[in-house]
Amino acid sequence: MAKRALPLSRVYGLLEPGPVVLLSTMHKDQANVMTMSWHTMMEFEPPLVGCVVSGHDFSFTALKATRQCVLNIPTVELAKKVVACGNTSGQQVDKFEAFGLTAAPAALVDAPLIAECYANLECRVVDTRLVNRYNFFVLEVLKAWIDPACKDPRTLHHRGRGAFMVAGETIRLPSKMR
């Protein structure tokens, strides 16, 4: 089989870490949403999630100052809104209003849940040692919410440069994990 070289700028599309999420924050009475696909599970219990938030993003300042956020997990039905949030700065636009997203109160953090998302993870920042060097935050999930009516969520997975895959078929194989 003949293979060809892949530009290094496209490697992230091969290692896509999971579903695209909408990270919501609240800072100085201003709610914001940013689209994020750079995250990874780090621990099971308590659940720890590592994520990269660019220092150029409006959400970076809020996350660094408040040390809390919500990771909202959308399904394919929200794809256009997810992309629109990612292509817009919260510095100029109220994304909740502009894209018809509903801010719902969280139980343990000030940042809002996004009601239209099938799952919401209330988080606090527990480690910032890699923020200055890599913009990498470690979040602890404090409370998780899920819509029980959404049985087989079709989540979005960013492949790069405007390309997304949609989660599809589920297969079950033997596992010793609980």
Side-chain angles (χ1 to χ4, degrees):
M1 172 191 283
K3 294 189 179 182
R4 63 178 174 83
L6 180 72
L8 296 178
S9 64
R10 302 185 98 184
V11 167
Y12 72 94
L14 299 174
L15 296 174
E16 174 275 319
V20 173
V21 300
L22 293 172
L23 180 135
S24 57
T25 55
M26 176 68 79
H27 183 49
K28 297 183 179 178
D29 294 326
Q30 184 174 0
N32 190 44
V33 181
M34 72 165 268
T35 302
M36 180 175 69
S37 60
W38 295 82
H39 56 81
T40 186
M41 285 301 304
M42 297 178 67
E43 185 56 83
F44 295 103
E45 284 193 40
L48 296 180
V49 178
C51 66
V52 174
V53 179
S54 170
H56 301 291
D57 288 333
F58 188 58
S59 295
F60 179 88
T61 302
L63 189 57
K64 197 168 179 184
T66 66
R67 299 177 67 95
Q68 50 181 254
C69 65
V70 177
L71 299 178
N72 302 277
I73 306 173
T75 55
V76 68
E77 292 79 12
L78 293 176
K80 289 183 180 175
K81 292 180 182 193
V82 167
V83 172
C85 283
N87 288 332
T88 309
S89 171
Q91 228 164 355
Q92 289 109 17
V93 174
D94 177 340
K95 296 183 193 182
F96 280 93
E97 183 179 316
F99 305 119
L101 298 172
T102 307
L108 301 175
V109 299
D110 294 331
L113 309 177
I114 299 175
E116 291 80 7
C117 289
Y118 97 94
N120 315 88
L121 309 175
E122 297 184 34
C123 302
R124 70 177 165 149
V125 175
V126 293
D127 192 335
T128 59
R129 287 177 285 180
L130 297 176
V131 170
N132 288 339
R133 188 164 187 170
Y134 299 109
N135 297 332
F136 189 86
F137 293 85
V138 178
L139 310 173
E140 179 181 350
V141 178
L142 304 173
K143 184 131 182 113
W145 303 94
I146 196 152
D147 179 354
C150 188
K151 299 293 183 203
D152 293 309
R154 294 181 18 162
T155 53
L156 297 167
H157 299 262
H158 189 233
R159 298 294 306 273
R161 300 196 163 122
F164 295 84
M165 284 177 45
V166 177
E169 180 183 1
T170 299
I171 63 170
R172 300 214 185 270
L173 302 171
S175 172
K176 291 184 179 184
M177 290 186 68
R178 295 180 210 190

